[in-house]
Amino acid sequence: MNTERKLAETLDLLFRYMILEEHKGHWGMDIDHWDWVPGVGVISLMEYATASGRGEVLDYLLQWVNRNKRKAEGAKVINALAPFALFPELYRQTGDPWFLQKAMSTADWMLNAAPVTREGALEHTVTENVDFPEQVWADTVYMAVLFLARLGGLTGEPRLADAAVQQTLLHLQLLQDPESGLLYHGWNSRAGNHMSAVHWARANAWITLAVPQIVAELREAVAIPEELYSRYRLLAAGLLSCQAGNGLWHTVLNRPDFVQETSGSAGIACGFIKGVEQGLLESSYLDGARQTVQGILPLIAENGEVQGVSGGTPVMPSADAYNTIEIYPTLYGQGLVLQLFTQAPDLLSGTRSA
């Protein structure tokens, strides 16, 4: 079987596994919620639908929104904004004004009512009954700022574009270690520290993957500071330096004795590809992404389940605590691998270049 056919079959397996009815009631795989876990899943399905032209996948996404949109009327928190990243493209595809109207009202809440830290960064808020007052998490850039950038790209509204760029740069400034280039998982504005100060892989993946997409949406609409570009290049270099020989990354990036984690690895590698595509990174980063694809392929079971994915992870009290997070299948794990493999045919054939 040739590589292109194998990847096409793998992508279909990943998609089919994500939408199985038998996942109902399982936190990591139940797609019929309005939160970040299914949110990353459906964002990834849209990437797949757009790249492949598969109408079946787009139809599924429209049905998913119709089934679940009432759930979006609940508490407004950062993590629950992730599914709205679909709305600009669904508006383009359908012309249905509801998608635009709902996206705009959600963006208005983000800009005018969402809690922010003393530095002006969006406070990371979640659907669970727990607060993280004045905490900045890397996750926010993917779960909320990506949506804002896509809406800004669709509408051309400067206030949306400016806010998306400002939030992206602010998160990089607050979370980046200037020596290694790697990101800390979180920043506590009250305490003025990075809490356990851990370079968690998936935190780094969220921003590595989001930034090239944010730039692609907004570079024609607003001036993007050179500092954002330089910080992103520093991040990518730091990540490349700690990639394992099999193409994956450890769940704590600078702890090679810790478990390797599939979703973070897929997100980082996909970010490399998109970074090269947008001219943010040199084409040599594609070699690292190729290694990741080859390293993840054996981790996909015959039924399409992505293995080696860690569960939901708040900022943990120590580096060792990150190595104890339970491993089980999740929609974000499926989705990040789906996004990476959507890019993989050109990557492995050698036709993708800077």
Side-chain angles (χ1 to χ4, degrees), residues 123-142:
E123 181 182 295
H124 191 76
T125 51
V126 299
T127 52
E128 293 84 1
N129 187 27
V130 60
D131 294 323
F132 304 102
E134 284 213 75
Q135 288 189 19
V136 179
W137 292 15
D139 315 46
T140 296
V141 176
Y142 196 87

Side-chain angles (χ1 to χ4, degrees), residues 242 244 250 252-260:
C242 55
H250 297 270
V252 175
L253 294 167
N254 54 345
R255 290 294 301 268
D257 55 322
F258 280 16
V259 66
Q260 293 180 335

Side-chain angles (χ1 to χ4, degrees), residues 54-65:
R54 287 189 63 181
E56 175 189 6
V57 183
L58 179 62
D59 289 344
Y60 176 83
L61 291 170
L62 289 168
Q63 294 163 14
W64 181 87
V65 172

Side-chain angles (χ1 to χ4, degrees), residues 179-256:
E179 293 187 9
S180 69
L182 301 175
L183 304 177
Y184 297 104
H185 188 176
W187 165 258
N188 188 316
S189 297
R190 288 183 178 178
N193 61 37
H194 293 104
M195 295 172 278
S196 53
V198 173
H199 300 305
W200 179 47
R202 199 159 62 232
N204 282 258
W206 294 133
I207 290 185
T208 305
L209 182 54
V211 167
Q213 298 178 72
I214 291 167
V215 168
E217 291 287 352
L218 300 179
R219 69 190 333 161
E220 300 299 325
V222 65
I224 297 177
E226 174 57 34
E227 183 185 353
L228 191 153
Y229 294 129
S230 62
R231 284 185 176 276
Y232 186 76
R233 290 191 292 267
L234 184 64
L235 166 61
L239 289 167
L240 194 62
S241 72
C242 55
Q243 185 178 23
N246 65 351
L248 274 67
W249 280 266
H250 297 270
T251 194
V252 175
L253 294 167
N254 54 345
R255 290 294 301 268

Side-chain angles (χ1 to χ4, degrees), residues 14-58:
L14 293 167
F15 164 54
R16 300 290 173 194
Y17 190 73
M18 291 171 78
I19 64 174
L20 288 175
E21 289 290 324
E22 66 191 54
H23 295 316
K24 296 288 186 187
H26 296 273
W27 178 86
M29 287 300 303
D30 188 341
I31 202 165
D32 283 317
H33 291 287
W34 199 276
D35 201 359
W36 73 276
V37 176
V40 176
V42 295
I43 289 170
S44 304
L45 289 176
M46 179 60 83
E47 294 275 319
Y48 176 42
T50 302
S52 66
R54 287 189 63 181
E56 175 189 6
V57 183
L58 179 62

Side-chain angles (χ1 to χ4, degrees), residues 265-279:
S265 298
I268 292 167
C270 193
F272 282 179
I273 297 170
K274 290 181 181 293
V276 172
E277 188 176 69
Q278 294 303 318

Side-chain angles (χ1 to χ4, degrees), residues 8 11 19 27 36-37 55 68 106 172 184 231 246 303 313 316 337 339 341:
L11 283 163
I19 64 174
W27 178 86
W36 73 276
V37 176
N68 293 289
T106 302
L172 285 167
Y184 297 104
R231 284 185 176 276
N246 65 351
N303 65 353
T313 308
M316 301 296 284
V337 171
Q339 288 192 51
F341 280 27

